[in-house]
Amino acid sequence: MDIYLVGGAVRDALMARDADAAASSHVDRDWVVVGATPEAMAAQGFLPVGRDFPVFLHPQTREEYALARTERKTAPGYHGFHFHTDPGVTLEDDLARRDLTINAMAVAATDAEDPASARLIDPHGGLRDLRERVLRHVTGAFGEDPVRILRLARFAARFPDFSVAPETRALMRQMVEHGEVDHLVAERVWQELSRGLMEQRPSRMFEVLRDCGALQRLLPEVDRLWGVPQRADHHPEIDTGVHLMMVLDMSALLGASLPVRFACLCHDLGKGTTPADVLPRHIGHEERSARLLRGLCERWRVPVECRELADVVAREHGNLHRSAGLGAAALVRLLERCDAFRKPARFLDIVLACECDARGRLGHAGDAYLQRERLLPALQAARSVVTADIAAQAQARGLKGPDVGTLIHRARVTEVAKALGEGALDRTP
Ligand SMILES: Nc1ccn([C@@H]2O[C@H](COP(=O)(O)OP(=O)(O)OP(=O)(O)O)[C@@H](O)[C@H]2O)c(=O)n1
Ligand SMILES: [Mg+2]
């Protein structure tokens, strides 16, 4: 049997060489095995990944070794695949079924330590596309797997200076028109979207998905934000979709976690359903965002941590932005609504998402989020209240649940007022 290194490890080694960077340290190496059978793999100690899937794990390194295969589509969507492997399937056959030319290059396993100096097996011009910074599909096989649209969009977010080849754009549009993305399963969609959100320039993923029409099918709540105006005094970029992309890229620039980036993605969904006669104002968009968010999260089975952060950010981002004008009592109420006393670490995520929102505006990227300088000391002061002591005293006086809550609230307001050097009364009506 002959073994080859393929995919990301080869691509990234060549990119690092071209960039004159240190050898790339691609962690996840993918291997192709030519001229073997499942039985021969098992005899060598490789462990099958699934029953009907020609992929094995190396007994020591646990890296993936796939038998060279061809694929045929038998039904729409992600599940309808038939694999064909036999010892006669060549490396070239296997490379031809891959998604992008830059991912369809191989080197012999004996050269795997230094792929950039090895003899490259590159039947589809992957190296040329890597140098010209083009994402191009390999063959019509791309059209058989709609997940590849999402993968391509994710690679665009990872390699933001790459463009999409015109024929690949056309193919993706055609796939969307034929309803291919309507059969995607939630797990795969969320997997790719979440990875793309974590890349260097998340906006590129959404631009690519929007361009081919996939965004409209997968995330219509996001897609319809383009063309929706906002007040120019608050939002010099005006367009809500443009603003959203700036917020997402700011979240990446600030190294935000996935829940924060997802919260950024969803914070303004409600602006897409603002009645036309109210524009460019968006009164009450927070509540509408939260409702649209619920549907989106159910559709794509978004994990609860992302969902919950996005919900509170959608509801409260405007209140955090306006918190400079709040007195101690209103600040404590805001902190309570954010569940900041039980989840102080999560409150930092809420503030960070709001910072991305504020700085994701034309001309505001360099602003400091001054609200933080008041919100965090307020939280710290309020947390200094020992709730157990107040509860014990209250119980000794015969007080019950809601009254205890009121006493704790008042004590927090007092502490916040002291810390901010203000009276406890609201400054705003
Ligand atoms: N739907 C898919 C999934 C994977 N591949 C092929 O399998 C390789 C390995 O897949 P994966 O590890 O997911 O991507 P990498 O390109 O290795 O990128 P990275 O691991 O850096 O994310 C890809 O390069 C590509 O050749 C494909 O053609 N179509
Ligand atoms: Mg890989």
Side-chain angles (χ1 to χ4, degrees):
M1 61 176 81
D2 294 315
I3 303 182
Y4 300 89
L5 180 67
V6 288
V10 177
R11 175 196 69 221
D12 291 356
L14 293 168
M15 278 181 102
R17 181 189 68 184
D18 283 1
D20 232 358
S24 88
S25 52
H26 195 97
V27 273
D28 151 47
R29 296 197 293 183
D30 304 290
W31 306 88
V32 176
V33 185
V34 177
T37 59
E39 294 72 31
M41 295 298 283
Q44 298 221 8
F46 285 92
L47 310 161
V49 164
R51 216 152 40 90
D52 305 317
F53 205 62
V55 177
F56 298 80
L57 295 183
H58 189 281
Q60 276 91 46
T61 66
R62 300 267 146 180
E63 288 177 332
E64 276 191 13
Y65 286 70
L67 294 183
R69 66 180 189 253
T70 56
E71 292 172 348
R72 195 160 47 80
K73 185 75 165 288
T74 51
Y78 170 61
H79 287 300
F81 269 104
H82 177 79
F83 299 114
H84 171 75
T85 67
D86 73 47
V89 176
T90 64
L91 176 66
E92 284 71 17
D93 293 335
D94 185 275
L95 293 176
R97 60 136 186 113
R98 289 176 181 269
D99 55 357
L100 302 175
T101 61
I102 60 166
N103 292 342
M105 298 183 277
V107 300
T110 45
D111 290 329
E113 289 316 311
D114 187 10
S117 327
R119 190 179 75 83
L120 190 65
I121 302 150
D122 178 21
H124 302 286
L127 185 60
R128 183 200 57 218
D129 285 341
L130 201 62
R131 294 201 164 131
E132 290 175 6
R133 304 237 161 305
V134 178
L135 300 170
R136 190 191 314 277
H137 68 284
V138 176
T139 65
F142 185 99
E144 301 196 336
D145 180 4
V147 169
R148 289 175 168 175
I149 294 178
L150 287 160
R151 279 177 58 90
L152 185 149
R154 166 162 73 81
F155 280 113
R158 186 187 307 184
F159 306 128
D161 56 340
F162 278 57
S163 65
V164 184
E167 68 268 30
T168 304
R169 287 176 68 188
L171 175 60
M172 293 200 298
R173 285 209 186 113
Q174 203 177 26
M175 290 167 72
V176 173
E177 272 165 30
H178 287 176
E180 278 289 344
V181 295
D182 304 336
H183 300 284
L184 285 166
V185 297
E187 286 72 14
R188 290 307 310 272
V189 172
W190 174 250
Q191 183 181 31
E192 296 299 330
L193 286 178
S194 57
R195 285 184 184 170
L197 281 171
M198 291 312 290
E199 297 290 359
Q200 190 189 342
R201 188 93 54 84
S203 63
R204 282 289 291 143
M205 172 165 72
F206 293 93
E207 277 164 23
V208 167
L209 293 177
R210 183 167 170 252
D211 178 71
C212 69
L215 193 62
Q216 203 272 326
R217 309 300 306 171
L218 299 172
L219 298 171
E221 305 88 345
V222 175
D223 188 67
R224 67 171 166 248
L225 296 178
W226 275 271
V228 175
Q230 306 166 101
R231 279 173 55 175
D233 49 345
H234 290 159
H235 284 281
E237 72 285 352
I238 296 179
D239 189 283
T240 309
V242 173
H243 164 57
L244 180 62
M245 294 300 102
M246 296 173 82
V247 177
L248 279 181
D249 287 345
M250 182 54 70
S251 74
L253 189 73
L254 299 182
S257 65
L258 177 62
V260 171
R261 296 188 194 198
F262 180 70
C264 287
L265 176 67
C266 299
H267 78 288
D268 270 349
L269 294 180
K271 289 184 178 172
T273 56
T274 301
D277 57 328
V278 190
L279 292 172
R281 291 184 306 156
H282 291 280
I283 301 152
H285 78 277
E286 295 87 350
E287 196 55 42
R288 294 197 300 276
S289 293
R291 193 152 36 81
L292 290 163
L293 170 72
R294 249 193 324 272
L296 188 158
C297 288
E298 267 157 37
R299 187 169 352 118
W300 301 123
R301 308 224 185 119
V302 176
V304 66
E305 193 190 359
C306 288
R307 223 183 250 237
E308 288 185 354
L309 185 71
D311 182 68
V312 63
V313 169
R315 291 175 192 282
E316 300 294 343
H317 64 274
N319 294 324
L320 266 83
H321 294 332
R322 291 184 292 269
S323 61
L326 298 180
L331 276 175
V332 172
R333 283 199 298 275
L334 174 61
L335 293 169
E336 284 167 349
R337 288 199 306 279
C338 292
D339 208 3
F341 300 112
R342 286 200 309 144
K343 300 176 180 167
R346 194 188 69 163
F347 187 68
L348 299 181
D349 283 346
I350 298 173
V351 175
L352 181 57
C354 290
E355 175 174 359
C356 296
D357 183 25
R359 294 174 61 183
R361 295 179 298 156
L362 194 63
H364 290 276
D367 288 3
Y369 193 59
L370 294 173
Q371 288 84 335
R372 174 184 276 108
E373 315 313 327
R374 202 143 173 279
L375 288 166
L376 298 190
L379 176 59
Q380 203 188 5
R383 286 185 78 208
S384 72
V385 169
V386 184
T387 53
D389 290 356
I390 297 180
Q393 287 161 16
Q395 259 155 19
R397 283 164 55 199
L399 294 174
K400 294 242 159 37
D403 296 328
V404 180
T406 307
L407 286 179
I408 292 172
H409 172 85
R410 278 195 205 137
R412 284 171 172 161
V413 173
T414 306
E415 289 306 316
V416 171
K418 264 196 265 173
L420 300 179
E422 298 167 1
L425 290 174
D426 288 7
R427 277 195 272 147
T428 48

